[in-house]
């Protein structure tokens, strides 16, 4: 376990290149970390982060012990519920990676996942106080755009992204903005939990490990609508 | 306008009794204020509140100018999106009422609504830093239970509530808890945006104004599943 | 078993009144029989009937052995499938009751149920060849209207009915029409499988058995939308 | 118009090869004709056909005049309704092609489309009386298998197909069976109305017209779940 590299190429690409063991991230941490990494790395925000995430039902897995009565169509449809309020492993995973990005411990990270009535897709809405309340939406957006310039699978969008724009693709869409009255950064990100949040991410990691073109096998566009 | 009373009996029942003009609240503020009122009135939290709300599509109204291509089934289904990120009127409505509860101005209130693929229902997940980080989940839960004791249409629940548990009824379900590591209050609330969030609330106000039994015409149970 | 009366008051009200044992019908037969009874009893159609039914997922029951992986939200959502093609018990139930209505055996009855991605509701589309191809839509519609005149829970509609118009109520909506080129009667009927198709029907039968007002406890309107 | 070839390669491949004008079929006729062509061409059934079709909402198109209040999420969700009961253009399209296959006029064709709450997908359940009631399920299934042997985009399945198995792909799945008691052929077929039922079909026709490999650009697998 000590040798495993955290398999998020947008943060750890160089380490993945030389790795013999790569740990594929959870779907929620993927969405949250791609939303927050630029701001945290640049010290734009204080160490006090809330991730409010919304996931389709396939996030819970298909069968066996993971399947509960809550996955039954009649329960899950026309319904939304928060869960993991007493702690969810993905919250720790987010906190650990954010600490590494800041080179510091002790961030307050609150992570609350929600089940919403759709099959695929995760949308994370992330909130953190700005260190400098004078920073503008435009400046934040440009910083994000620059940060992800050249990334094959991250797009910084002009308008709030929709999960449906990513379904079937390996893209993560990221939209940063500022609540000027509250002095707060808000970043919305989304991805397909079964592609960029799972198998697609694994293929991307494999491509990086083996020196293949990073997009190999991952160029499928989203299926819309 | 100056004479209008804000029509949330759980906060302003006495004023509504004597009112000649009552303003029915928006559906989002209803859910947020019923989640936050006990904590704000008691000074449990600092003036720094985030409301992350998830609404079914009927919240956007049925027709005319309010209907956009986003309401089309093929766009709205299997999709989730944040909106109002540049400011939504309901954010101001929440901030104004919270200020009145605290008898103080200047709260930081961030409100982000999301459209999720269901017909009815709103779930609000509210976050605020605890003034006293040592307060326990149990103490908060008991404070809420006591606060809403005797209220005909608010239930403080033992587990995170589901919108489906309120569909067709005039109930608002409220679940307060504490993220101990982050020192944060989290309150999840939900209601049917077309009943407690709209017409049912109006009937409840009318009952209070006219001295009728407050539950009159509102005793329909939720339709589950 | 020999003493049990088939619990569909619209056909067997008198027998139910004196019964000590009433068998509550299946949800599919309810919809099909209320659609076909007037035409079959009057000899309007030949003994060659097709019932193509569409049901929400709650029709399969909630748990235990009845729940299959097909009930998982991720499988059932955005999906439609026919089942029971090698024979479904409800097909026999329909055939038996139609035979009784005609006072004759040997009807050809084909019944094909489908699962569609919604929680509640059944819609049955029924097809049968007209004995007299010259009969008009208008005449059929008026015959149905007269047949169900006075029935508390059946409405003959002016336009094709929608399951959503019945959700939560004990109503069955019936719309008869004629395909003039093919000389075929088409009747569309719908109901809430958990009310008129199950518990509501049982209450209605109980009311009839005990001489109570037939609508007692069943006056809930549909929850729309 | 007189020069246009009906663009269903599984029936008219040779004519499409030499055509200068190809009319892309409607989505409903595609599903119905691929279900019925083998049986009709071989004279397996009498000229008396019922097509009961179920379509997702994207079948109605995205905007402009084609969009009605019925396409609003709150109306379409958790709802099913039959439409076109007074005649739908696709019924004539089906009848015309079936007549051509039989080299005879006068088939009775009843076509009833239904809107069901999903974005994509069409499932057609087709019924026709067998000329020889003694024919077995197995024999029919083998005849269909042989008929479509070598077709790149039609699969005869072992079990009733699900629309979700075709979403995003150019495949049409066909499942023929026999209701032995009623002496009736039943064929269930499904496809993605936006691919095999529209743009994918157009590409397939173009490939045939231009002598390209018929699968060119159409090898995308279904997105499941």
């Amino acid at each position: 376990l000590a040798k495993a590299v955290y398999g998020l190429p947008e943060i750890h690409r160089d380490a993945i290149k030389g790795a013999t063991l790569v740990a594929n991230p959870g779907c929620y941490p993927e969405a949250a970390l791609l939303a927050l990494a630029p701001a945290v790395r640049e010290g734009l925000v204080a160490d006090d982060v809330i991730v409010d995430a919304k996931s389709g039902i396939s996030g819970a897995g298909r069968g066996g012990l993971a399947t509960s009565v809550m996955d039954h169509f009649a329960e899950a449809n026309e319904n939304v519920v928060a869960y993991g309020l007493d702690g969810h492993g993905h919250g720790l995973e987010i906190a650990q990676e954010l600490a590494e990005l800041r080179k510091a411990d002790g961030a307050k990270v609150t992570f609350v996942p929600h089940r919403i009535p759709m099959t695929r897709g995760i949308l994370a809405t992330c909130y953190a106080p700005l260190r400098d309340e004078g920073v503008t939406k435009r400046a934040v957006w440009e910083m994000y755009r620059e940060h992800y310039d050249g990334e094959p699978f991250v797009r910084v969008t002009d308008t709030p992204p929709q999960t449906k724009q990513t379904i079937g693709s390996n893209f993560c869409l990221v939209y940063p903005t500022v609540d000027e009255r509250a002095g707060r950064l808000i970043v919305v990100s989304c991805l397909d939990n079964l592609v960029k949040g799972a198998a697609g991410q694994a293929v991307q990691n494999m491509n990086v490990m083996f020196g293949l073109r990073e997009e190999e096998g991952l160029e499928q566009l989203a299926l819309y609508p």
Side-chain angles (χ1 to χ4, degrees), chain A residues 11 24 110 116 155 214:
Chain A
I11 298 180
N24 217 43
T110 294
I116 64 175
R155 290 287 175 273
E214 198 163 331

Side-chain angles (χ1 to χ4, degrees), chain A residues 8 117 124 128 183 202 207:
Chain A
L8 199 51
N207 289 344

Side-chain angles (χ1 to χ4, degrees), chain A residues 2-222:
Chain A
K3 286 186 186 166
V5 174
Y6 191 74
L8 199 51
E10 290 81 1
I11 298 180
H12 299 290
R13 186 170 285 113
D14 288 343
I16 295 168
K17 271 179 191 159
T20 51
L21 188 59
V22 171
N24 217 43
C27 50
Y28 283 125
E30 281 247 15
L33 293 170
L34 293 173
L36 291 165
V40 169
R41 188 172 261 167
E42 302 292 330
L44 193 71
V45 291
D47 295 340
D48 187 5
V49 167
I50 292 169
V51 177
D52 185 295
K54 298 92 181 159
S55 172
I57 310 298
S58 68
R62 189 181 189 189
L65 294 174
T67 304
S68 73
V69 71
M70 281 297 301
D71 297 323
H72 191 291
F73 185 89
E75 310 279 327
N77 192 38
E78 286 287 296
N79 203 1
V80 52
V81 65
Y83 65 103
L85 285 159
D86 295 325
H88 184 291
H90 283 177
L92 298 178
E93 194 176 323
I94 295 166
Q96 169 199 300
E97 280 295 306
L98 292 181
E100 218 177 298
L101 283 167
R102 290 177 308 112
K103 320 277 182 214
D105 261 342
K108 291 182 180 178
V109 176
T110 294
F111 168 62
V112 179
H114 299 74
R115 297 163 60 101
I116 64 175
M118 58 189 200
T119 301
R120 289 169 169 238
I122 282 183
L123 186 126
T125 313
C126 307
Y127 306 88
L130 289 164
R131 285 193 199 280
D132 170 6
E133 295 204 0
V135 69
T136 64
K137 286 180 197 187
R138 188 76 205 163
V140 170
W141 189 86
E142 278 171 1
M143 189 265 268
Y144 266 70
R145 196 79 159 198
E146 196 169 321
H147 183 99
Y148 283 125
D149 186 43
E151 276 300 337
F153 294 118
V154 182
R155 290 287 175 273
V156 179
T157 60
D158 293 322
T159 51
Q162 307 173 26
T163 50
K164 197 187 270 275
Q165 293 165 336
T166 67
I167 299 310
S169 85
N170 199 50
F171 279 97
C172 177
L173 306 180
V174 177
Y175 178 76
T177 190
V178 167
D179 178 347
E180 285 162 7
R181 295 210 299 199
R184 198 149 14 225
L185 176 73
I186 305 174
V187 191
V188 182
S189 65
C190 67
L191 50 78
D192 182 338
N193 58 306
L194 299 182
V195 188
K196 181 66 172 163
Q201 181 59 79
V203 172
Q204 187 183 351
N205 281 326
M206 189 187 70
N207 289 344
V208 174
M209 289 169 80
F210 293 167
L212 303 171
R213 198 169 56 94
E214 198 163 331
E215 297 93 329
E216 200 62 46
L218 296 170
E219 287 166 309
Q220 174 61 29
L221 298 178

